[in-house]
Amino acid sequence: MGSIDAALKPRLRLRTPKEYAGWVLSILVGIGILTSVLTNPNFKWGVVAQYFTHESILRGLMLTIFLTVASMTLGTLLGLGLAIMRSSHVKPVSIAANIYITLFRGTPVLVQLIFWFNISALYPNLSIGIPFTNIGTAIDMNALMAPITAALVGLTLNEAAYMAEIIRGGFSSVGKGQIEAADSLGMSSGTRMRKVIIPQAMPSIIPATGNQVIGMFKGTSLVSVLGVAELLQSAQLIYARTYETIPLLLVACLWYLVMTLLLSYPQSKLEQKYSRTSSRLPRKAKKVVVLTEPEEGNLR
Protein backbone atom coordinates (compact mmCIF):
# COMPACT_ATOMS: atom_id res chain seq x y z
CA MET A 1 0.00 0.00 0.00
CA GLY A 2 1.28 3.40 -0.94
CA SER A 3 0.85 6.51 1.18
CA ILE A 4 -2.20 8.72 0.68
CA ASP A 5 -1.68 12.41 -0.07
CA ALA A 6 -2.37 14.45 3.07
CA ALA A 7 -4.32 17.02 1.03
CA LEU A 8 -6.87 14.35 0.10
CA LYS A 9 -7.64 13.34 3.66
CA PRO A 10 -10.99 14.63 4.99
CA ARG A 11 -10.66 17.26 7.69
CA LEU A 12 -12.24 16.32 11.03
CA ARG A 13 -13.39 18.91 13.57
CA LEU A 14 -14.49 17.97 17.05
CA ARG A 15 -17.64 19.69 18.27
CA THR A 16 -17.45 21.30 21.68
CA PRO A 17 -20.20 21.44 24.33
CA LYS A 18 -20.62 25.16 23.57
CA GLU A 19 -21.59 24.31 20.00
CA TYR A 20 -24.21 21.78 21.14
CA ALA A 21 -25.55 24.32 23.63
CA GLY A 22 -25.75 26.91 20.87
CA TRP A 23 -27.74 24.50 18.68
CA VAL A 24 -30.20 23.73 21.48
CA LEU A 25 -30.68 27.42 22.31
CA SER A 26 -31.16 28.36 18.64
CA ILE A 27 -33.74 25.60 18.12
CA LEU A 28 -35.71 26.61 21.22
CA VAL A 29 -35.74 30.28 20.19
CA GLY A 30 -36.74 29.36 16.64
CA ILE A 31 -39.60 27.16 17.86
CA GLY A 32 -40.81 29.93 20.15
CA ILE A 33 -40.82 32.54 17.37
CA LEU A 34 -42.47 30.18 14.86
CA THR A 35 -45.17 29.20 17.37
CA SER A 36 -45.90 32.85 18.14
CA VAL A 37 -46.18 33.74 14.45
CA LEU A 38 -48.41 30.79 13.54
CA THR A 39 -50.76 31.07 16.53
CA ASN A 40 -51.18 34.85 16.58
CA PRO A 41 -54.61 35.56 15.01
CA ASN A 42 -53.59 39.11 14.10
CA PHE A 43 -51.42 37.79 11.26
CA LYS A 44 -54.59 36.51 9.51
CA TRP A 45 -52.90 33.73 7.57
CA GLY A 46 -56.20 32.90 5.87
CA VAL A 47 -56.23 36.33 4.25
CA VAL A 48 -52.58 35.88 3.28
CA ALA A 49 -53.41 32.59 1.55
CA GLN A 50 -56.41 34.19 -0.16
CA TYR A 51 -54.43 37.02 -1.74
CA PHE A 52 -51.12 35.21 -2.31
CA THR A 53 -52.15 34.21 -5.86
CA HIS A 54 -54.53 37.10 -6.45
CA GLU A 55 -54.62 38.38 -10.02
CA SER A 56 -53.46 41.88 -9.05
CA ILE A 57 -50.57 40.49 -7.00
CA LEU A 58 -49.42 38.25 -9.86
CA ARG A 59 -49.60 41.15 -12.34
CA GLY A 60 -47.51 43.25 -9.98
CA LEU A 61 -45.02 40.39 -9.62
CA MET A 62 -44.66 40.13 -13.41
CA LEU A 63 -44.06 43.88 -13.66
CA THR A 64 -41.45 43.65 -10.88
CA ILE A 65 -39.64 40.87 -12.77
CA PHE A 66 -39.79 42.91 -15.99
CA LEU A 67 -38.30 45.99 -14.30
CA THR A 68 -35.56 43.85 -12.75
CA VAL A 69 -34.55 42.14 -16.00
CA ALA A 70 -34.78 45.29 -18.15
CA SER A 71 -32.93 47.53 -15.68
CA MET A 72 -30.17 44.99 -15.06
CA THR A 73 -29.67 44.31 -18.78
CA LEU A 74 -29.54 47.96 -19.79
CA GLY A 75 -27.59 48.93 -16.67
CA THR A 76 -24.96 46.25 -17.31
CA LEU A 77 -24.46 47.35 -20.91
CA LEU A 78 -24.21 51.01 -19.91
CA GLY A 79 -21.96 50.07 -16.97
CA LEU A 80 -19.62 48.22 -19.32
CA GLY A 81 -19.29 51.34 -21.46
CA LEU A 82 -18.68 53.48 -18.37
CA ALA A 83 -16.04 51.05 -17.06
CA ILE A 84 -14.22 51.21 -20.39
CA MET A 85 -14.43 55.00 -20.33
CA ARG A 86 -13.20 55.07 -16.71
CA SER A 87 -10.19 52.94 -17.68
CA SER A 88 -9.40 55.11 -20.71
CA HIS A 89 -6.13 57.01 -20.88
CA VAL A 90 -7.97 59.96 -22.45
CA LYS A 91 -8.49 62.26 -19.49
CA PRO A 92 -11.77 63.98 -20.58
CA VAL A 93 -13.39 60.59 -21.19
CA SER A 94 -12.18 59.19 -17.88
CA ILE A 95 -13.25 62.30 -15.95
CA ALA A 96 -16.74 62.27 -17.55
CA ALA A 97 -17.27 58.64 -16.53
CA ASN A 98 -15.99 59.37 -13.03
CA ILE A 99 -18.40 62.29 -12.63
CA TYR A 100 -21.33 60.13 -13.77
CA ILE A 101 -20.46 57.32 -11.35
CA THR A 102 -19.92 59.72 -8.45
CA LEU A 103 -23.20 61.54 -9.11
CA PHE A 104 -25.43 58.46 -9.33
CA ARG A 105 -23.73 56.58 -6.50
CA GLY A 106 -23.74 59.62 -4.25
CA THR A 107 -27.50 60.35 -4.40
CA PRO A 108 -30.34 58.10 -3.18
CA VAL A 109 -32.09 56.07 -5.86
CA LEU A 110 -35.48 57.22 -4.53
CA VAL A 111 -34.51 60.85 -5.15
CA GLN A 112 -33.38 59.93 -8.66
CA LEU A 113 -36.67 58.20 -9.43
CA ILE A 114 -38.67 61.24 -8.32
CA PHE A 115 -36.34 63.54 -10.28
CA TRP A 116 -36.80 61.65 -13.56
CA PHE A 117 -40.55 61.48 -13.02
CA ASN A 118 -40.61 65.29 -12.75
CA ILE A 119 -38.01 66.01 -15.45
CA SER A 120 -40.68 67.76 -17.51
CA ALA A 121 -40.54 70.65 -15.05
CA LEU A 122 -37.06 71.40 -16.39
CA TYR A 123 -37.55 70.38 -20.03
CA PRO A 124 -41.24 70.45 -21.02
CA ASN A 125 -40.29 69.89 -24.65
CA LEU A 126 -37.08 68.18 -25.73
CA SER A 127 -35.94 68.98 -29.26
CA ILE A 128 -33.93 66.39 -31.18
CA GLY A 129 -32.50 67.28 -34.56
CA ILE A 130 -29.50 68.41 -36.60
CA PRO A 131 -27.77 71.48 -35.15
CA PHE A 132 -27.94 74.76 -37.10
CA THR A 133 -30.78 73.43 -39.29
CA ASN A 134 -34.57 73.29 -39.11
CA ILE A 135 -34.52 69.50 -39.24
CA GLY A 136 -35.73 68.07 -35.96
CA THR A 137 -38.65 67.12 -33.81
CA ALA A 138 -39.96 68.08 -30.40
CA ILE A 139 -40.80 65.49 -27.76
CA ASP A 140 -43.37 66.16 -25.08
CA MET A 141 -41.62 65.09 -21.87
CA ASN A 142 -44.90 64.98 -19.94
CA ALA A 143 -46.16 62.28 -22.27
CA LEU A 144 -42.80 60.50 -22.51
CA MET A 145 -41.98 60.24 -18.81
CA ALA A 146 -44.84 58.01 -17.78
CA PRO A 147 -44.41 56.28 -14.40
CA ILE A 148 -43.05 53.04 -15.89
CA THR A 149 -40.67 54.93 -18.19
CA ALA A 150 -39.38 57.06 -15.32
CA ALA A 151 -38.93 53.94 -13.18
CA LEU A 152 -37.00 52.15 -15.92
CA VAL A 153 -34.79 55.17 -16.63
CA GLY A 154 -34.07 55.84 -12.96
CA LEU A 155 -33.25 52.22 -12.08
CA THR A 156 -31.13 51.73 -15.20
CA LEU A 157 -29.01 54.85 -14.77
CA ASN A 158 -28.46 54.14 -11.08
CA GLU A 159 -27.57 50.50 -11.68
CA ALA A 160 -25.14 51.47 -14.44
CA ALA A 161 -23.01 53.38 -11.94
CA TYR A 162 -22.70 50.37 -9.62
CA MET A 163 -22.11 47.92 -12.46
CA ALA A 164 -19.39 50.21 -13.83
CA GLU A 165 -17.49 49.91 -10.54
CA ILE A 166 -18.00 46.13 -10.43
CA ILE A 167 -16.73 45.75 -13.99
CA ARG A 168 -13.83 48.13 -13.38
CA GLY A 169 -12.87 46.07 -10.34
CA GLY A 170 -12.89 43.00 -12.57
CA PHE A 171 -10.64 44.77 -15.04
CA SER A 172 -8.24 45.64 -12.23
CA SER A 173 -7.96 41.97 -11.27
CA VAL A 174 -6.31 41.15 -14.61
CA GLY A 175 -2.55 41.07 -14.22
CA LYS A 176 -0.43 43.67 -15.95
CA GLY A 177 1.59 40.88 -17.51
CA GLN A 178 -1.47 39.76 -19.46
CA ILE A 179 -1.97 43.27 -20.82
CA GLU A 180 1.72 43.60 -21.71
CA ALA A 181 1.58 40.24 -23.48
CA ALA A 182 -1.42 41.42 -25.51
CA ASP A 183 0.43 44.63 -26.42
CA SER A 184 3.50 42.65 -27.46
CA LEU A 185 1.32 40.65 -29.86
CA GLY A 186 0.18 43.88 -31.49
CA MET A 187 -3.45 43.71 -30.34
CA SER A 188 -5.53 46.83 -30.65
CA SER A 189 -7.22 48.22 -27.56
CA GLY A 190 -10.59 46.81 -28.64
CA THR A 191 -9.20 43.35 -29.37
CA ARG A 192 -7.25 43.37 -26.10
CA MET A 193 -10.45 44.22 -24.22
CA ARG A 194 -12.50 41.47 -25.92
CA LYS A 195 -9.89 38.71 -26.03
CA VAL A 196 -7.81 39.24 -22.89
CA ILE A 197 -9.29 41.57 -20.26
CA ILE A 198 -13.02 40.75 -20.28
CA PRO A 199 -12.67 36.91 -20.28
CA GLN A 200 -10.23 37.01 -17.34
CA ALA A 201 -12.31 39.59 -15.46
CA MET A 202 -15.51 37.51 -15.57
CA PRO A 203 -14.71 35.41 -12.45
CA SER A 204 -14.69 38.63 -10.41
CA ILE A 205 -17.64 40.26 -12.16
CA ILE A 206 -20.26 37.50 -12.31
CA PRO A 207 -20.68 36.72 -8.56
CA ALA A 208 -21.01 40.42 -7.71
CA THR A 209 -23.51 40.86 -10.54
CA GLY A 210 -25.64 38.11 -8.99
CA ASN A 211 -25.84 40.14 -5.79
CA GLN A 212 -26.87 43.18 -7.81
CA VAL A 213 -29.70 41.25 -9.47
CA ILE A 214 -31.13 40.29 -6.08
CA GLY A 215 -30.72 43.84 -4.82
CA MET A 216 -32.41 45.21 -7.93
CA PHE A 217 -35.38 42.86 -7.52
CA LYS A 218 -35.97 44.17 -4.01
CA GLY A 219 -35.12 47.74 -4.99
CA THR A 220 -37.96 47.86 -7.51
CA SER A 221 -40.30 48.37 -4.54
CA LEU A 222 -39.15 52.02 -4.53
CA VAL A 223 -40.99 52.72 -7.79
CA SER A 224 -44.27 52.37 -5.88
CA VAL A 225 -43.89 56.07 -4.98
CA LEU A 226 -44.36 56.84 -8.71
CA GLY A 227 -47.65 54.95 -8.85
CA VAL A 228 -46.21 52.00 -10.76
CA ALA A 229 -48.36 48.94 -10.00
CA GLU A 230 -45.50 46.59 -9.18
CA LEU A 231 -45.68 44.01 -6.39
CA LEU A 232 -45.66 46.38 -3.40
CA GLN A 233 -47.98 48.91 -5.04
CA SER A 234 -50.42 46.12 -5.95
CA ALA A 235 -50.53 45.04 -2.31
CA GLN A 236 -51.00 48.65 -1.20
CA LEU A 237 -53.92 49.16 -3.58
CA ILE A 238 -55.66 46.09 -2.16
CA TYR A 239 -55.22 46.91 1.52
CA ALA A 240 -56.28 50.52 0.88
CA ARG A 241 -59.63 49.01 -0.10
CA THR A 242 -59.88 46.13 2.39
CA TYR A 243 -57.93 47.62 5.34
CA GLU A 244 -56.02 44.31 5.67
CA THR A 245 -52.65 46.05 5.89
CA ILE A 246 -50.51 43.45 7.67
CA PRO A 247 -51.73 40.40 5.67
CA LEU A 248 -51.13 42.15 2.34
CA LEU A 249 -47.68 43.30 3.39
CA LEU A 250 -46.96 39.68 4.36
CA VAL A 251 -48.06 38.60 0.87
CA ALA A 252 -45.57 41.04 -0.69
CA CYS A 253 -42.81 39.97 1.72
CA LEU A 254 -43.38 36.28 0.99
CA TRP A 255 -43.18 36.84 -2.77
CA TYR A 256 -39.97 38.86 -2.36
CA LEU A 257 -38.57 36.07 -0.21
CA VAL A 258 -39.55 33.33 -2.67
CA MET A 259 -38.05 35.14 -5.65
CA THR A 260 -34.89 35.99 -3.71
CA LEU A 261 -34.42 32.30 -2.84
CA LEU A 262 -34.97 31.34 -6.48
CA LEU A 263 -32.36 33.87 -7.59
CA SER A 264 -29.92 32.84 -4.86
CA TYR A 265 -29.57 29.28 -6.18
CA PRO A 266 -28.10 30.16 -9.62
CA GLN A 267 -26.04 32.86 -7.92
CA SER A 268 -24.45 30.29 -5.59
CA LYS A 269 -23.71 28.03 -8.56
CA LEU A 270 -22.08 30.88 -10.44
CA GLU A 271 -20.00 31.77 -7.40
CA GLN A 272 -18.83 28.16 -7.09
CA LYS A 273 -17.89 28.10 -10.76
CA TYR A 274 -16.16 31.45 -11.07
CA SER A 275 -14.82 32.19 -7.59
CA ARG A 276 -11.03 32.17 -7.54
CA THR A 277 -10.88 31.73 -3.79
CA SER A 278 -13.01 28.59 -3.57
CA SER A 279 -11.27 25.49 -2.32
CA ARG A 280 -10.06 23.04 -4.90
CA LEU A 281 -10.00 20.12 -2.46
CA PRO A 282 -12.77 17.50 -2.61
CA ARG A 283 -15.23 17.46 0.25
CA LYS A 284 -14.86 13.71 0.64
CA ALA A 285 -11.62 12.05 -0.37
CA LYS A 286 -11.78 8.77 -2.21
CA LYS A 287 -9.67 5.90 -1.07
CA VAL A 288 -6.57 5.51 -3.21
CA VAL A 289 -5.15 2.00 -3.49
CA VAL A 290 -1.75 1.38 -5.05
CA LEU A 291 -1.14 -2.14 -6.32
CA THR A 292 2.38 -3.42 -6.31
CA GLU A 293 1.72 -6.40 -8.61
CA PRO A 294 3.27 -5.59 -12.02
CA GLU A 295 0.52 -7.37 -13.97
CA GLU A 296 -2.33 -5.33 -12.48
CA GLY A 297 -1.19 -1.90 -13.69
CA ASN A 298 -0.34 1.20 -11.76
CA LEU A 299 -3.34 2.72 -10.02
CA ARG A 300 -6.92 1.74 -9.51
Side-chain angles (χ1 to χ4, degrees):
M1 294 292 295
S3 60
I4 299 176
D5 188 357
L8 297 177
K9 292 182 179 180
R11 300 298 188 263
L12 300 178
R13 184 176 62 86
L14 296 178
R15 289 182 177 153
T16 63
K18 291 183 179 179
E19 185 173 354
Y20 287 110
W23 273 106
V24 172
L25 181 61
S26 299
I27 292 173
L28 292 176
V29 172
I31 292 175
I33 294 175
L34 184 62
T35 303
S36 174
V37 170
L38 294 179
T39 58
N40 189 340
N42 295 324
F43 282 97
K44 299 181 180 180
W45 292 109
V47 178
V48 173
Q50 176 186 353
Y51 285 102
F52 189 72
T53 56
H54 193 272
E55 182 181 359
S56 299
I57 297 295
L58 294 180
R59 281 202 305 266
L61 177 63
M62 292 299 105
L63 182 56
T64 297
I65 294 174
F66 166 75
L67 289 174
T68 302
V69 174
S71 299
M72 280 302 306
T73 302
L74 297 175
T76 301
L77 294 176
L78 181 58
L80 176 60
L82 288 170
I84 295 174
M85 292 172 60
R86 182 83 183 270
S87 303
S88 175
H89 296 292
V90 181
K91 283 297 182 181
V93 174
S94 177
I95 292 174
N98 194 18
I99 292 174
Y100 177 97
I101 293 170
T102 302
L103 178 64
F104 281 90
R105 291 180 66 201
T107 54
V109 62
L110 181 59
V111 175
Q112 297 174 30
L113 290 171
I114 298 174
F115 175 83
W116 291 112
F117 184 63
N118 295 278
I119 191 65
S120 59
L122 296 176
Y123 299 98
N125 295 290
L126 185 63
S127 298
I128 299 177
I130 301 176
F132 309 109
T133 65
N134 294 327
I135 302 175
T137 183
I139 300 176
D140 185 5
M141 295 301 294
N142 283 298
L144 178 63
M145 278 298 173
I148 294 181
T149 306
L152 188 59
V153 170
L155 292 176
T156 297
L157 295 180
N158 181 264
E159 187 61 29
Y162 287 92
M163 287 303 303
E165 288 299 282
I166 292 174
I167 295 173
R168 187 179 67 87
F171 290 169
S172 300
S173 66
V174 180
K176 294 183 179 180
Q178 299 291 324
I179 300 175
E180 293 174 355
D183 292 337
S184 65
L185 293 175
M187 291 185 180
S188 62
S189 58
T191 303
R192 180 182 62 191
M193 183 67 66
R194 293 193 312 270
K195 300 294 185 180
V196 178
I197 298 178
I198 292 180
Q200 296 188 56
M202 293 305 286
S204 300
I205 295 173
I206 289 181
T209 304
N211 290 327
Q212 288 297 114
V213 173
I214 295 175
M216 174 61 72
F217 180 80
K218 295 181 291 186
T220 54
S221 60
L222 294 174
V223 304
S224 61
V225 300
L226 306 182
V228 178
E230 44 76 56
L231 180 56
L232 179 59
Q233 177 71 4
S234 299
Q236 289 175 330
L237 292 175
I238 295 176
Y239 73 64
R241 185 177 68 254
T242 63
Y243 300 102
E244 303 284 358
T245 304
I246 298 299
L248 268 299
L249 289 178
L250 287 175
V251 169
C253 290
L254 288 175
W255 270 119
Y256 282 119
L257 179 61
V258 168
M259 294 304 299
T260 299
L261 292 176
L262 292 177
L263 292 172
S264 297
Y265 179 75
Q267 179 200 1
S268 63
K269 292 299 181 182
L270 288 173
E271 288 181 354
Q272 291 176 8
K273 182 177 180 180
Y274 288 99
S275 178
R276 289 175 173 173
T277 61
S278 60
S279 176
R280 301 287 183 178
L281 297 179
R283 302 183 71 177
K284 289 186 178 180
K286 295 182 179 180
K287 185 177 180 180
V288 179
V289 180
V290 179
L291 299 179
T292 57
E293 292 82 1
E295 64 275 10
E296 289 292 334
N298 295 325
L299 188 65
R300 185 174 67 202

